[in-house]
Amino acid sequence: SLTCSKLPLALINYNLPTNNTTKMKFAAAATVAFAASANAFAPATTGNRATQLNAMKDDFAKVGAAALAGAAIFGATLPAQAITKSELNQLSYLQVKGTGLANRCSEVIGEDTITPKAGSRLVDLCIEPKAWAVEEEIGKAGKTEKKFVNSKVMTRQTYTLEGIEGSIKVDGGNIVFVEEEGIDYAPTTVQLPGGERVPFLFTVKELVAKGNGGSFKPGFQMGGDFSVPSYRTGLFLDPKGRGGTTGYDMAVALPGLQSGEEGDAELFKENNKTFDVGQGRIEMEVNKVNAEESEIGGVFVASQPGDTDMGSKVPKKILTKGIFYAKIQ
């Protein structure tokens, strides 16, 4: 099934470095990143949304020690110095070029409270993954069980979602965010320890996130479901020249397998491309709020299906964790 169940917010202890001095030793930054990323897969603490978030605790427990080590490695990709939005805006194009800052979410400093007014919008939402895990079937002692395996991102510095915005409303005393537009998808590929590569469309399209309060403050949580479009579109042609809206109807080089009494039954899924739309879920927790700049920042954990190769493969389940930044307008 492409429907993903509700997630635990296993990122409550995920802390980012808040040192704003202009000089920082790389070794110290790597140590902070190691600790922060390892904490991201730590068991979730009890919160106001405990009932909603307990459904997938087992998923994160299955990641195991290997995932913790892998997550720590990926956490080391944090920049040596965290940077705020105001500091980033002061940099020129040439100062940002080649540094990786364009793929990073800004840091927020402060623990204030922001209560959105009627007509408020959540803008400049940035979602940056820090670690990935893929569900795999592991065989042991003649038995097969599903476990999450840490994976390595193969995509270059283009996997962060940026500039997302949408409306904010209060329903029953709780904040509800409805995503409307922005760079809300990023084709991404991760690699398993065995070398298999798993492509997926990292996205939060059509996200409707419901919160557990009427104000943004440290500890505020919100989450909801979103749509996951197909990794490839109808104009894509596979190596045999077959596509969803164009190309050949069958593999021209294999006519014998696609004629006769059974027709193309053996290659039906490969010949008949489909645009599959799945469903994912994301949970977010705010841990920093700057009322003066109307900024919020925190951590997230998301689950979504991977690529189906236009209907010919069963999608793998992918867990993503990282940080986010947004402004209240």
Side-chain angles (χ1 to χ4, degrees):
S1 173
L2 296 181
T3 302
C4 298
S5 58
K6 298 177 181 178
L7 301 171
L9 194 62
L11 301 171
I12 295 177
N13 295 324
Y14 189 104
N15 298 316
L16 291 178
T18 57
N19 186 355
N20 289 318
T21 59
T22 56
K23 295 182 179 180
M24 178 182 290
K25 293 183 179 180
F26 177 79
T31 302
V32 173
F34 185 99
S37 188
N39 284 337
F41 275 103
T45 58
T46 303
N48 295 333
R49 293 165 65 90
T51 302
Q52 185 177 12
L53 303 180
N54 282 337
M56 288 181 62
K57 281 186 177 179
D58 291 342
D59 288 350
F60 284 90
K62 292 177 182 178
V63 176
L68 292 175
I73 293 173
F74 301 137
T77 62
L78 277 167
Q81 176 185 349
I83 186 170
T84 64
K85 190 69 171 180
S86 60
E87 293 170 340
L88 183 61
N89 289 338
Q90 296 174 17
L91 301 178
S92 67
Y93 168 77
L94 291 178
Q95 288 174 314
V96 174
K97 181 181 178 181
T99 64
L101 286 175
N103 193 53
R104 308 294 183 193
C105 291
S106 301
E107 177 195 10
V108 178
I109 299 176
E111 297 184 355
D112 306 324
T113 298
I114 298 177
T115 301
K117 301 178 182 179
S120 295
R121 293 179 63 82
L122 193 71
V123 300
D124 293 339
L125 174 59
C126 173
I127 302 177
E128 178 189 350
K130 292 294 185 183
W132 300 260
V134 180
E135 187 177 52
E136 283 284 272
E137 291 188 354
I138 307 297
K140 186 177 181 181
K143 297 182 180 179
T144 302
E145 59 180 341
K146 291 184 177 181
K147 289 186 177 181
F148 283 91
V149 181
N150 65 295
S151 56
K152 175 183 179 182
V153 64
M154 303 304 295
T155 305
R156 296 196 178 188
Q157 303 286 309
T158 58
Y159 50 78
T160 293
L161 308 184
E162 178 64 83
I164 299 172
E165 61 179 87
S167 61
I168 296 176
K169 62 181 180 179
V170 178
D171 184 10
N174 296 323
I175 292 175
V176 178
F177 167 64
V178 180
E179 189 268 344
E180 296 174 356
E181 59 182 337
I183 304 176
D184 53 8
Y185 68 95
T188 307
T189 300
V190 294
Q191 180 172 292
L192 296 171
E196 179 185 359
R197 295 189 176 183
V198 182
F200 68 100
L201 192 71
F202 179 54
T203 181
V204 289
K205 279 186 174 293
E206 301 177 351
L207 169 65
V208 178
K210 299 180 180 180
N212 63 348
S215 300
F216 292 104
K217 57 184 178 180
F220 172 83
Q221 297 177 2
M222 65 178 181
D225 298 330
F226 56 85
S227 297
V228 183
S230 174
Y231 180 80
R232 296 189 174 99
T233 64
L235 296 179
F236 171 79
L237 295 179
D238 68 9
K240 299 295 184 182
R242 299 166 295 189
T245 59
T246 184
Y248 294 112
D249 291 332
M250 60 180 65
V252 179
L254 302 172
L257 294 177
Q258 300 160 102
S259 60
E261 296 181 0
E262 297 183 1
D264 65 345
E266 186 175 347
L267 300 175
F268 181 82
K269 291 183 178 180
E270 286 80 0
N271 289 339
N272 296 273
K273 307 295 185 183
T274 60
F275 188 90
D276 296 321
V277 179
Q279 186 181 71
R281 184 169 182 85
I282 187 171
E283 293 289 344
M284 313 167 80
E285 178 171 321
V286 174
N287 56 23
K288 296 291 181 181
V289 180
N290 187 326
E292 183 178 355
E293 299 290 340
S294 297
E295 298 176 333
I296 63 173
V299 294
F300 79 90
V301 58
S303 173
Q304 67 170 87
D307 176 38
T308 66
D309 199 14
M310 301 193 76
S312 64
K313 296 180 181 178
V314 177
K316 295 180 181 292
K317 189 175 182 180
I318 300 169
L319 295 181
T320 308
K321 67 91 182 174
I323 62 174
F324 75 89
Y325 163 92
K327 293 193 70 172
I328 312 301
Q329 190 178 75

